Amino acid sequence: MAAAGLLGSDIGWLTIIGIAICIPVGIIGYFVAKYLNRKTYPLSIEVLEQLQLRRRSRQRQTRHRSAIA
């Protein structure tokens, strides 16, 4: 907005053109990111062990909560 004021351009047109550019770029960016992230990467053994331990502790917590209620 400050740049538009310094250049003497119309702020309304600047906003309309900015929105017209941002919407398609955002949609294209979403699909490009979805395409690039389609591959699953193998986890290291340490990370896999941490995930399994966390799942077990969550299962214990839900069992403990259901036993209390």
Side-chain angles (χ1 to χ4, degrees):
M1 296 293 180
L6 290 173
L7 296 174
S9 63
D10 186 15
I11 294 177
W13 276 111
L14 181 71
T15 304
I16 290 172
I17 292 172
I19 290 172
I21 291 172
C22 289
I23 290 174
V25 169
I27 292 170
I28 291 169
Y30 170 78
F31 287 109
V32 168
K34 192 174 179 180
Y35 174 76
L36 291 175
N37 288 323
R38 71 191 185 283
K39 183 178 178 184
T40 57
Y41 296 97
L43 297 174
S44 67
I45 294 173
E46 294 85 13
V47 174
L48 187 59
E49 289 173 351
Q50 289 176 359
L51 285 173
Q52 290 174 347
L53 289 173
R54 184 162 176 97
R55 286 180 187 154
R56 287 180 196 152
S57 67
R58 283 187 178 177
Q59 288 175 353
R60 288 184 199 139
Q61 287 176 355
T62 55
R63 287 183 199 155
H64 180 67
R65 288 181 188 162
S66 62
I68 293 173

